[in-house]
Amino acid sequence: MQTSFKFLRTNLYFLLVIPFMLLIFFSSNLNGGTTGKLSGRVVSQVNEPLPSANIQIVGTSLGASSDIDGYYNVINIPPGKYKIQFSLVGYQTLIVQDVLITTDQTTKLGAALEETVLEQKTVIVTATRPIVDINLTSSMVSLSSDDIQMLPVQEIRDIVNLQAGVVDGHFRGGRQGEVQYQVNGVTVNNSFDNTSILRLDRSLLQEVQVISGTFDAEYGQAMSGVVNAVLKSGTEDFKWNAELYTGDFLYPGSTKRLINYKLRPFSIQNYQIAVSGPTPLPKTYFLFNARRSISNDYFYGTRRFTPTDSSDFEKKIFKPTGDQKDVPLGYSNEWSGLAKITNKPVAHIEIGYQAILNSIEAKRTNFAWRLNPEGTPTQRTISLVHGIDVTHTLSNSTFYNIGVRQNYFKYTDFVYEDVFDPRYIDAGPPQSDGTYELGAVVQGVDLSRFMQQTNTYVIKASVTSQVTRDHQLKAGVELQYSDVEFGSPGYILQTTEGGVMVLRPKLSQPPEYPGISTYRPISISAYAQDQIEWQDLTLRFGARSEYFDSRATIPSDLQNPANNIAGAPKSYPIKATKKITVAPRLGVSYPITTRSALFFAYGHFYQLPGLGQIFTNSDYTILKELQAGGISYGVLGNPDIKPERTIQYEFGYKHELTDFLGMDISVFYKDIRDLLGVEFISTYTAAEYARLTNVDFGNVIGFTLSLDQRRIGLLSTSLDYTWQMAQGNSSDPRETATRASAGEDPRPRQVPLNWDQRNTLNLTVMLQDPKNFSFSAVSRFGSGQPYTPAIGAGFGQGLEANSGRKPSHLIVDLRGEKYFTFAGFPVSTFIRVFNLFDSRFANGFVFGDTGNPDYSLNTIGDRALLANPTRFYPPRRIEIGLTINYN
């Protein structure tokens, strides 16, 4: 928490002054990529167009009038369910309830008004969501807060992994880090590793949009997919809700898990409260959400030893001084929250300020430290995303957004914060004995130390205009400035003094011990996009251009990288080149009947690799003593990397088979080029070193079949099946160098990627009586991912890379909820069960000589692994909770 307070003090100006200045200067809590559109035609009962009909979104200031042919468009609508009112003098007023608006999509709603000569009447009907959206031009799923509420999920990552084509965070066969995560239309990715810096609880989410196929030009820095979360906002009426639950892992009698089961009913706890409503200021609304989460892992160690114990390893005399208490080897304790305020100071202008905070303290489960758990490092994370958004509606057909964000992330991983902490020296390095408790660590501490901090400022502006009845234009720009720091905040080195091995702390000594490295790259992007909706045809096309400057240097002559080869051309640092890309995007949806449509999408997608990869070990002066056949300096970084590139093609067919059953089938292909990989460079003295560059490649081909059954009575279901083949020359950028150092052939070859799961099946079944109960079950089946079989031990034991297949798996999760009223408050109790059948395997670890997680042919050499229960998938987990609402 001390680190958190330091951060808040040093960023007080941006946290407080900037928002208030902007509130003064601007007179929306929404940004580009967070609103939808409503369009249709108003006609009479005899199908004649009705011009000048008034279309009003009830409860908002949004609306439009129909044109001379009866057509209308309403833009800039926040996602959610609305009442839409159609009215015209001389005709009955029509109100359509429960009209669902989704982000970046058009909801079609026509109206037929009945003429009346007497008093004007109002007709109320309820909208039915189309079972398939024939206007979509690519594969996309939008889940509303109601959808999310019914699923056995807690965070946004749980929601994402349930979608077709997503396997453990990999979208359609792409590498990790190829997905753009956004909150209210602005990126929350950490440029260090291209992952989201936030863990978003489901209670914050108004809508989640997951795009697993091609995507529009407004989305950049992604090659495989986009996840856009739209957060809830303040309300005009005072509301609050609270949720709490507790739980534990439940697997009695499961002897194959190698754990003596013990019930710990409060090992998982969660407390959440949300309050929203008006403020004393006019037209100003707030939302506040706070959450406390405690989660202990299922495997407990015993504090038999302490880090400073001193055992006699020569005589095999062990002297434990621990308190013998059972403690969780892994845990995660989190504070998180959202504060949001929206203001409408004048007509047509909205201002919103929001701040999202995560603060997490955690430990990873490490079986080797089960008897000395205090010696493992603690991971601490603080994430803050905050900023202001302004939306100005210029007319019924045009509006623009301006968003300013600060995305702050800090992660530390060490046992003691201070490198000079005497406990490092007192404890010493980890020590164990192979004959005692299968080599468990019995004294010492983990000496590794790491820190990573990213401070990114984002300015994003976009304008949207319905220029004609059929054309909607959108254009925008985005500027990102990042301050990226990473490395070891000091080292604990083992040195020899007087023939005795001792530990000594050291801050930094570049290039061998670089300490904390700092980089300040800049990126600028711009896009333009046209959406044409002509009759039933939908056409979306656009282009995106991106500029990136790493603001770093590389040697001018890679054959003399450290400028230390006598007689060779002089080498000196030069600036890395600036990178510019242009990416066209196209999507077409063509209805062939009123209930079916074909769609096609194509696009170029570029993304910079994580800056942590390209900047790590990028000081080439470390090669000053490089000699032919000498020591290895690992793989050097390369600040001059080009963006990675993927070309995607998608073709699909949608069909509303019946009024309650829809089908969607899509075929996709991805050509992946310029992936981060390794090249070997020879110096003038014939010495060789490895560095990162754009040499890896791959391709993915597959198809997805989805069936969606609308609720009949109490029952609704959905099923999706994905077959895909993901291949490439390497699954990891450093894989080529690893193969070369192991004496294997480093030349490129095409093999299945580590996450090449050929068959994936997701089935969701829901039963719901809205005022009584709800129940959902999610079943996830996956065929085995690749592994490299081994035929023995030692050099050359591996067969062809990834030529084996792990066992298939099935995971089933449940959620049930009962609604009732207590003391006048709407209350519900719920239960969630994860891994219902206590499956022990789901594409995890397998022994190379058997392809099985349970047994090995080398029982002596693998005896520690055979005794390690953490190699299995986590056991059954049950959570029981209570929610209370006040509306």
Side-chain angles (χ1 to χ4, degrees):
M1 292 303 294
Q2 184 178 2
T3 303
S4 305
F5 291 132
K6 288 181 180 178
F7 161 72
L8 293 174
R9 287 200 304 269
T10 56
N11 289 273
L12 186 62
Y13 181 82
F14 197 89
L15 281 165
L16 298 178
V17 178
I18 295 297
F20 280 108
M21 289 178 63
L22 289 172
L23 283 169
I24 292 173
F25 278 102
F26 289 97
S27 356
S28 223
N29 54 337
L30 300 171
N31 209 321
T34 62
T35 61
K37 173 182 166 184
L38 179 71
S39 68
R41 193 182 189 205
V42 185
V43 298
S44 66
Q45 288 291 314
V46 293
N47 206 34
E48 293 181 350
L50 295 179
S52 301
N54 183 51
I55 298 92
Q56 178 68 37
I57 300 181
V58 179
T60 76
S61 60
L62 299 171
S65 296
S66 58
D67 64 16
I68 193 170
D69 296 316
Y71 291 97
Y72 72 92
N73 289 289
V74 184
I75 63 174
N76 195 27
I77 309 174
K81 286 185 177 180
Y82 295 93
K83 291 181 180 180
I84 311 299
Q85 177 177 289
F86 298 88
S87 60
L88 182 64
V89 175
Y91 290 84
Q92 289 183 348
T93 298
L94 173 66
I95 295 179
V96 184
Q97 302 181 119
D98 295 338
V99 177
L100 183 65
I101 303 296
T102 57
T103 301
D104 269 345
Q105 301 301 317
T106 300
T107 298
K108 297 290 185 70
L109 182 64
L113 304 186
E114 184 176 346
E115 193 171 1
T116 179
V117 294
L118 301 175
E119 61 175 313
Q120 193 163 337
K121 296 181 180 180
T122 299
V123 178
I124 300 176
V125 298
T126 300
T128 302
R129 182 178 182 178
I131 195 66
V132 294
D133 189 345
I134 61 175
N135 300 305
L136 290 179
T137 59
S138 64
S139 296
M140 186 201 73
V141 174
S142 293
L143 291 96
S144 67
S145 57
D146 292 338
D147 298 328
I148 296 168
Q149 181 68 28
M150 286 191 63
L151 293 172
V153 296
Q154 186 62 39
E155 298 181 359
I156 191 170
R157 61 183 177 183
D158 305 324
I159 300 169
V160 170
N161 281 324
L162 291 180
Q163 307 312 311
V166 180
V167 178
D168 300 330
H170 297 270
F171 279 51
R172 289 190 171 178
R175 286 180 173 178
Q176 288 275 20
E178 293 185 358
V179 179
Q180 174 72 209
Y181 284 85
Q182 296 192 343
V183 171
N184 284 0
V186 180
T187 179
V188 291
N189 273 22
N190 183 359
S191 55
F192 176 79
D193 57 6
N194 288 336
T195 60
S196 174
I197 67 173
L198 291 177
R199 291 172 58 175
L200 294 175
D201 183 68
R202 67 191 185 113
S203 62
L204 305 178
L205 302 172
Q206 176 64 33
E207 182 185 59
V208 174
Q209 186 183 76
V210 182
I211 308 175
S212 56
T214 56
F215 40 90
D216 292 338
E218 68 175 300
Y219 300 109
Q221 278 301 299
M223 295 198 302
S224 290
V226 174
V227 177
N228 189 14
V230 180
L231 304 185
K232 295 178 179 179
S233 299
T235 54
E236 294 185 358
D237 300 320
F238 182 77
K239 299 180 180 180
W240 64 265
N241 67 78
E243 178 181 277
L244 61 90
Y245 65 80
T246 184
D248 189 23
F249 297 92
L250 189 66
Y251 52 103
S254 182
T255 57
K256 289 186 177 181
R257 284 199 171 272
L258 310 177
I259 303 175
N260 292 325
Y261 174 74
K262 183 177 181 180
L263 180 65
R264 298 179 173 91
F266 299 104
S267 62
I268 298 170
Q269 301 175 49
N270 187 89
Y271 310 92
Q272 175 266 326
I273 187 169
V275 183
S276 67
T279 71
L281 300 174
K283 296 182 179 180
T284 304
Y285 311 97
F286 77 94
L287 170 65
F288 175 78
N289 184 296
R291 179 187 179 216
R292 172 61 169 166
S293 174
I294 299 171
S295 179
N296 293 329
D297 200 6
Y298 63 94
F299 184 66
Y300 277 58
T302 302
R303 203 154 44 201
R304 187 185 303 178
F305 293 88
T306 64
T308 55
D309 283 347
S310 180
S311 298
D312 190 334
F313 289 93
E314 289 187 4
K315 297 181 179 179
K316 301 189 183 303
I317 299 175
F318 303 96
K319 305 172 182 177
T321 64
D323 57 13
Q324 308 299 313
K325 287 186 177 180
D326 290 342
V327 294
L329 281 189
Y331 63 82
S332 177
N333 297 332
E334 175 183 359
W335 288 96
S336 61
L338 165 69
K340 189 172 185 178
I341 187 168
T342 59
N343 174 256
K344 301 176 182 179
V346 296
H348 311 304
I349 292 180
E350 279 191 3
I351 300 175
Y353 173 78
Q354 66 181 21
I356 312 166
L357 176 69
N358 288 163
S359 180
I360 305 170
E361 179 182 293
K363 275 196 176 188
R364 301 188 189 94
T365 299
N366 191 327
F367 180 70
W369 293 80
R370 61 193 179 278
L371 303 181
N372 180 20
E374 302 302 318
T376 58
T378 301
Q379 295 81 46
R380 294 179 175 86
T381 303
I382 180 169
S383 306
L384 174 65
V385 173
H386 75 116
I388 193 166
D389 298 302
V390 179
T391 297
H392 184 189
T393 303
L394 301 176
S395 68
N396 285 342
S397 60
T398 304
F399 69 95
Y400 68 84
N401 307 109
I402 299 175
V404 181
R405 291 282 194 281
Q406 181 189 23
N407 298 342
Y408 176 84
F409 176 84
K410 184 172 183 179
Y411 169 84
T412 59
D413 188 352
F414 39 61
V415 179
Y416 308 119
E417 183 174 2
D418 187 355
V419 69
F420 295 102
D421 193 310
R423 288 175 291 182
Y424 272 123
I425 309 302
D426 295 340
Q431 295 191 58
S432 62
D433 187 288
T435 64
Y436 181 77
E437 294 285 359
L438 299 176
V441 177
V442 296
Q443 71 181 56
V445 297
D446 189 318
L447 301 181
S448 62
R449 297 174 54 81
F450 182 76
M451 186 279 288
Q452 196 277 304
Q453 177 177 284
T454 302
N455 200 3
T456 299
Y457 298 91
V458 183
I459 300 176
K460 185 173 182 178
S462 66
V463 59
T464 302
S465 180
Q466 190 74 37
V467 293
T468 69
R469 177 199 303 167
D470 304 321
H471 286 263
Q472 184 184 76
L473 296 179
K474 181 181 288 189
V477 295
E478 180 178 318
L479 169 67
Q480 280 195 50
Y481 168 82
S482 297
D483 191 318
V484 182
E485 302 178 31
F486 65 92
S488 178
Y491 301 84
I492 307 296
L493 304 179
Q494 298 187 52
T495 61
T496 302
E497 296 179 4
V500 179
M501 186 71 70
V502 296
L503 296 180
R504 289 289 181 263
K506 179 187 285 290
L507 287 177
S508 64
Q509 186 178 325
E512 290 83 3
Y513 304 102
I516 302 297
S517 300
T518 303
Y519 297 90
R520 298 180 175 88
I522 290 177
S523 65
I524 304 173
S525 61
Y527 71 89
Q529 180 176 297
D530 186 12
Q531 177 175 310
I532 302 173
E533 294 172 320
W534 181 69
Q535 295 184 359
D536 292 325
L537 174 70
T538 301
L539 175 65
R540 301 166 76 109
F541 70 91
R544 183 180 186 90
S545 180
E546 296 183 331
Y547 165 94
F548 176 75
D549 184 0
S550 66
R551 305 176 75 193
T553 61
I554 59 171
S556 61
D557 190 343
L558 294 176
Q559 292 182 278
N560 185 17
N563 196 31
N564 65 326
I565 301 177
K570 186 176 181 180
S571 181
Y572 51 89
I574 59 173
K575 291 183 178 179
T577 58
K578 301 171 177 62
K579 309 298 186 299
I580 299 177
T581 62
V582 177
R585 315 275 172 87
L586 172 67
V588 181
S589 176
Y590 180 71
I592 53 179
T593 71
T594 58
R595 301 165 70 99
S596 63
L598 296 172
F599 67 91
F600 168 77
Y602 162 83
H604 289 236
F605 305 90
Y606 293 89
Q607 183 179 21
L608 262 298
L611 301 185
Q613 290 182 305
I614 65 178
F615 288 140
T616 294
N617 197 25
S618 61
D619 185 352
Y620 285 66
T621 60
I622 198 174
L623 302 176
K624 59 188 176 182
E625 297 181 1
L626 180 65
Q627 301 292 330
I631 63 173
S632 171
Y633 292 88
V635 178
L636 272 72
N638 182 4
D640 203 29
I641 287 291
K642 297 186 300 183
E644 300 172 320
R645 172 170 59 98
T646 292
I647 301 176
Q648 292 196 49
Y649 305 83
E650 184 177 17
F651 179 80
Y653 173 70
K654 299 173 183 289
H655 193 168
E656 185 177 327
L657 301 174
T658 69
D659 291 338
F660 60 86
L661 182 64
M663 179 187 71
D664 184 342
I665 183 169
S666 63
V667 180
F668 56 89
Y669 175 75
K670 299 169 66 173
D671 181 30
I672 310 169
R673 302 288 175 178
D674 296 330
L675 287 177
L676 202 60
V678 171
E679 67 175 348
F680 296 91
I681 297 177
S682 296
T683 69
Y684 291 110
T685 59
E688 196 173 68
Y689 65 95
R691 78 159 189 164
L692 294 173
T693 192
N694 300 93
V695 295
D696 282 359
F697 57 87
N699 61 72
V700 183
I701 187 171
F703 72 88
T704 296
L705 172 64
S706 299
L707 296 172
D708 189 10
Q709 178 245 313
R710 177 181 292 145
R711 184 153 63 96
I712 302 176
L714 301 179
L715 176 68
S716 62
T717 62
S718 66
L719 180 145
D720 63 73
Y721 168 75
T722 303
W723 179 92
Q724 70 178 23
M725 182 169 61
Q727 294 184 316
N729 69 305
S730 68
S731 301
D732 180 84
R734 290 173 170 79
E735 186 175 313
T736 301
T738 303
R739 296 204 316 267
S741 63
E744 300 174 6
D745 186 354
R747 291 176 296 181
R749 78 274 195 260
Q750 192 92 333
V751 297
L753 299 174
N754 289 348
W755 50 88
D756 176 37
Q757 183 168 293
R758 294 291 170 86
N759 302 282
T760 304
L761 182 69
N762 298 319
L763 171 65
T764 301
V765 178
M766 294 184 180
L767 295 170
Q768 183 184 29
D769 181 344
K771 296 183 179 181
N772 190 5
F773 71 92
S774 67
F775 171 84
S776 65
V778 176
S779 302
R780 293 171 289 151
F781 169 82
S783 60
Q785 295 175 5
Y787 79 98
T788 301
I791 56 176
F795 178 78
Q797 82 279 9
L799 296 176
E800 184 179 351
N802 280 352
S803 58
R805 287 282 165 175
K806 300 176 182 179
S808 59
H809 65 274
L810 174 66
I811 304 296
V812 178
D813 301 331
L814 306 178
R815 186 182 196 278
E817 188 165 11
K818 173 65 177 175
Y819 310 105
F820 57 95
T821 301
F822 180 77
F825 291 97
V827 177
S828 68
T829 59
F830 64 89
I831 182 170
R832 297 191 300 205
V833 183
F834 299 93
N835 192 8
L836 173 67
F837 299 115
D838 193 30
S839 299
R840 292 183 302 115
F841 181 78
N843 275 325
F845 169 84
V846 296
F847 291 98
D849 54 8
T850 65
N852 191 287
D854 292 315
Y855 64 95
S856 165
L857 300 180
N858 182 15
T859 55
I860 296 178
D862 290 333
R863 61 185 184 277
L865 272 173
L866 287 166
N868 185 351
T870 64
R871 71 181 188 271
F872 298 122
Y873 189 79
R876 181 190 302 111
R877 186 173 90 245
I878 297 181
E879 297 168 351
I880 299 174
L882 175 73
T883 62
I884 304 175
N885 295 280
Y886 173 81
N887 296 319

